[in-house]
């Protein structure tokens, strides 16, 4: 590794540590990044010259010592802003963060059924950027991240398909680059954004994230990265794994997808057996079914024995797929979340079904947890991704200038 690469890596390691852990001392930074104190001093001086770090005074709870190891340093919150946007079925939910990922302002723009199309969704994304730019210094907005429900090509920033939003081949990154040039733009699947939010809190062990609700989503964190295929697609679209090729038609066009066998759709049919609902209508006209779904979720929150039995058929089949993923991936942890996981008993139930299927030889290193979804988990996840990319660009240019 050459000197330039070592400098670049040391600077990025320091920035990521501070981004995750907040204000810190040089000694804590040295311990956290496994660097010499002299290296940390040099790196923090360079980052201060770039305007990214500032001195914050003595860190509360540290002992008095000779020199500056206990003086705290942190990201300069005035350096700039990033916008994290979650695009879901019901709203465009945007948060303006400073460079340290402290929330500054938020906007929620509702999505009506008539707005579920590429033109209106893109317009709503642009509108929230406009509003933040007019109320704050638009020149200091350094980047925008969009987390969206559907199949996303993260390399091109294209929403390839979202039946929930009725959007297909929407080049979000390309359009925002035209509208918002010279800024960092990233687009990511919503489940992957949840994974990145876990990373932003310091998670480093391999884990599998699975979301359960009206649909089923998944993503995988492995070897320090959110796993994607070579073309930039989320590689764990398990909701469309085929369970029965002669099964019910899915909205995607296939028959017998996992979502038709193991989502809240199944629970809804168990609770309302005379509803004559089909899966495509359930997804595309969800407003008809939300009142009933909300009643089911309320019953599930109090661990109603009768409603619990109605989840079992879905959980049993979902556990079959999770079991195969455990054998294939050997994740240390499985996080179960989503709008349909409303109580820890549900995670315990799914884990029980999995343990009946998988030999301890394959599953003994894997444990299950209920994912605790903060209100801004998606926005913060994609914003973290954007901030890291912005920092990488700044550091890369600085190192190149100093060497040339």
């Amino acid at each position: 590794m050459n000197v330039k690469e070592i400098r670049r890596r040391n600077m990025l390691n320091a920035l990521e540590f501070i981004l995750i852990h907040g204000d810190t001392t040089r000694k804590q930074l040295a311990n956290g990044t496994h660097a010499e104190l002299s290296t940390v001093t040099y790196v923090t001086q360079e980052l201060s010259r770039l305007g990214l770090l500032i001195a914050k005074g003595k860190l509360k709870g540290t002992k008095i010592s000779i020199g500056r190891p206990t003086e705290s340093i942190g990201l300069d919150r005035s350096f700039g802003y990033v916008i994290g946007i979650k695009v879901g079925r019901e709203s465009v939910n945007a948060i303006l963060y400073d460079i340290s990922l402290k929330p500054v302002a938020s906007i929620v723009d509702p999505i009506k059924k008539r707005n579920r199309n590429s033109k209106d969704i893109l317009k709503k994304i642009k509108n929230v950027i406009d509003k933040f730019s007019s109320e704050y210094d638009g020149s200091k907005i350094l980047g925008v991240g969009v987390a969206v429900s559907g199949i996303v090509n993260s390399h091109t920033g294209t929403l390839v398909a979202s039946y929930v939003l009725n959007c297909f081949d929407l080049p979000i990154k390309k359009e925002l680059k035209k509208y918002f040039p010279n800024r960092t733009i990233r687009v990511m699947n919503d489940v992957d954004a949840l994974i990145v939010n876990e990373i932003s809190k310091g998670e480093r062990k391999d884990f599998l994230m699975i979301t359960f609700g009206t649909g089923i989503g998944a993503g995988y964190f492995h070897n320090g990265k959110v796993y994607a295929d070579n073309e930039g697609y989320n590689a764990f679209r398990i909701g469309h794994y085929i369970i029965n090729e002669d099964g019910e038609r899915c909205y995607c066009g296939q028959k017998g997808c996992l979502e038709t066998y193991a989502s809240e759709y199944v629970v809804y049919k168990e609770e309302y057996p005379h509803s004559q609902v089909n899966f495509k209508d359930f997804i595309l006209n969800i407003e008809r079914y939300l009142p009933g779904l909300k009643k089911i979720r309320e019953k599930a929150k109090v661990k109603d024995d009768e409603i619990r039995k109605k989840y079992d058929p879905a959980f049993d089949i979902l556990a079959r797929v999770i079991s195969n993923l455990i054998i294939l991936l050997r994740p240390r942890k499985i996080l179960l979340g989503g709008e349909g996981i409303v109580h820890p008993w549900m995670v315990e139930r799914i884990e029980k079904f999995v343990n009946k299927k998988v030999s301890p030889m394959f599953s003994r290193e894997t444990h299950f947890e209920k994912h605790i979804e903060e209100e801004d988990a998606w926005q913060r996840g994609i914003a973290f991704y954007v901030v890291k990319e912005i920092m990488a660009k700044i550091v890369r240019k600085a190192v190149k200038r100093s060497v040339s």
Side-chain angles (χ1 to χ4, degrees):
M1 192 183 302
N2 60 37
V3 173
K4 183 167 68 171
E5 178 59 22
I6 291 171
R7 286 181 59 206
R8 187 190 70 83
R9 184 169 293 187
N10 285 339
M11 292 167 78
L12 290 178
N13 285 345
L15 286 169
E16 182 168 350
F17 182 88
I18 296 170
L19 186 60
I20 291 172
H21 299 283
D23 296 351
T24 186
T25 66
R26 288 171 175 79
K27 186 174 182 180
Q28 289 170 341
L29 185 56
N31 291 336
T33 59
H34 308 290
E36 296 292 333
L37 192 57
S38 58
T39 300
V40 165
T41 299
Y42 174 74
V43 164
T44 54
Q45 286 172 348
E46 281 199 284
L47 293 172
S48 295
R49 280 194 291 270
L50 292 172
L52 287 165
L53 296 186
I54 57 171
K56 297 287 186 83
K58 188 175 181 297
L59 195 65
K60 190 175 180 181
T62 55
K63 295 179 181 178
I64 296 173
S65 66
I66 298 171
R68 295 188 298 166
T70 59
E71 287 184 1
S72 70
I73 50 176
L75 292 166
D76 186 347
R77 296 177 62 185
S78 68
F79 186 85
Y81 305 109
V82 297
I83 301 172
I85 301 173
K86 178 195 175 189
V87 182
R89 180 179 59 230
E90 297 173 2
S91 66
V92 172
N93 196 319
I95 299 178
L96 182 73
Y97 296 92
D98 65 32
I99 199 72
S100 71
L101 293 182
K102 297 291 188 298
V104 176
S106 64
I107 298 170
V108 178
D109 188 358
I111 295 174
K112 305 295 184 183
K113 186 177 179 181
R114 65 177 181 273
N115 301 130
R116 291 180 193 144
N117 60 76
S118 294
K119 182 180 177 181
D120 283 359
I121 294 296
L122 187 61
K123 184 178 179 181
K124 285 180 175 290
I125 293 171
K126 289 178 178 178
N127 284 347
V128 297
I129 297 172
D130 270 344
K131 190 161 185 182
F132 283 137
S133 297
S134 64
E135 294 182 3
Y136 296 85
D137 184 351
S139 67
K140 295 190 76 172
I141 296 177
L142 308 176
V144 177
V146 181
V148 59
S149 173
I151 299 171
V152 175
N153 184 319
S154 59
H155 291 176
T156 65
T158 300
L159 176 57
V160 177
S162 176
Y163 290 87
V164 168
L165 296 172
N166 189 31
C167 291
F168 304 92
D169 295 317
L170 177 58
I172 297 174
K173 181 177 179 179
K174 183 180 177 181
E175 290 299 320
L176 292 186
K177 277 285 188 182
K178 289 181 196 173
Y179 179 72
F180 202 53
N182 305 316
R183 305 297 200 281
T184 298
I185 310 290
R186 300 295 296 184
V187 183
M188 181 179 281
N189 169 269
D190 56 353
V191 180
D192 286 347
L194 287 179
I195 291 176
V196 177
N197 187 53
E198 292 300 307
I199 299 168
S200 78
K201 295 184 286 188
E203 181 60 68
R204 287 296 176 268
K205 292 180 180 178
D206 289 4
F207 68 91
L208 183 66
M209 171 81 74
I210 294 174
T211 58
F212 171 86
T214 54
I216 296 171
Y220 183 44
F221 177 68
H222 176 63
N223 284 345
K225 294 180 181 180
V226 179
Y227 190 84
D229 65 21
N230 292 334
E231 295 181 347
Y233 292 97
N234 174 303
F236 289 87
R237 299 189 288 275
I238 67 169
H240 299 282
Y241 284 10
I242 296 171
I243 302 301
N244 178 3
E245 62 185 17
D246 296 318
E248 183 177 349
R249 181 78 65 182
C250 178
Y251 60 81
C252 74
Q254 297 179 162
K255 283 187 175 181
C257 289
L258 178 65
E259 288 187 353
T260 68
Y261 281 91
S263 69
E264 285 185 308
Y265 169 65
V266 176
V267 186
Y268 188 93
K269 289 196 300 180
E270 291 280 338
E271 179 73 353
Y272 304 107
H274 304 299
S275 61
Q276 296 184 329
V277 58
N278 66 74
F279 187 60
K280 186 174 180 179
D281 191 62
F282 180 77
I283 292 297
L284 301 185
N285 296 294
I286 189 64
E287 288 83 2
R288 295 177 188 170
Y289 307 102
L290 277 177
L293 267 181
K294 288 176 180 177
K295 289 179 183 177
I296 291 170
R297 290 170 186 168
E298 287 304 312
K299 288 182 180 180
K301 284 178 184 177
V302 295
K303 205 175 178 180
D304 180 290
D305 286 341
E306 285 303 311
I307 201 69
R308 184 173 64 175
K309 292 174 185 175
K310 291 172 183 176
Y311 277 88
D312 279 355
F315 284 173
D316 185 36
I317 292 176
L318 179 59
R320 187 190 308 170
V321 171
I322 293 174
S323 299
N324 287 327
L325 289 173
I326 288 172
I327 295 169
L328 177 67
L329 304 172
R330 302 293 290 273
R332 293 294 184 91
K333 179 167 66 177
I334 292 177
L335 285 173
L336 282 163
E339 59 192 347
I341 300 292
V342 297
H343 195 281
W345 75 260
M346 305 171 102
V347 177
E348 295 165 7
R349 194 71 174 163
I350 293 169
E351 184 175 16
K352 185 176 180 180
F353 278 120
V354 168
N355 289 337
K356 284 181 178 179
K357 301 176 193 304
V358 183
S359 164
M361 178 175 66
F362 300 114
S363 65
R364 61 175 172 264
E365 294 179 359
T366 302
H367 71 278
F368 285 70
E369 290 182 16
K370 182 182 184 300
H371 179 239
I372 307 300
E373 290 177 4
E374 303 96 333
E375 196 172 330
D376 70 336
W378 297 266
Q379 299 95 314
R380 193 177 189 278
I382 189 65
F384 177 82
Y385 202 74
V386 171
V387 169
K388 282 191 63 178
E389 186 169 332
I390 290 166
M391 289 176 170
K393 288 177 181 177
I394 293 168
V395 167
R396 186 166 58 245
K397 287 180 182 177
V399 170
K400 188 176 179 180
R401 279 198 307 267
S402 65
V403 172
S404 57

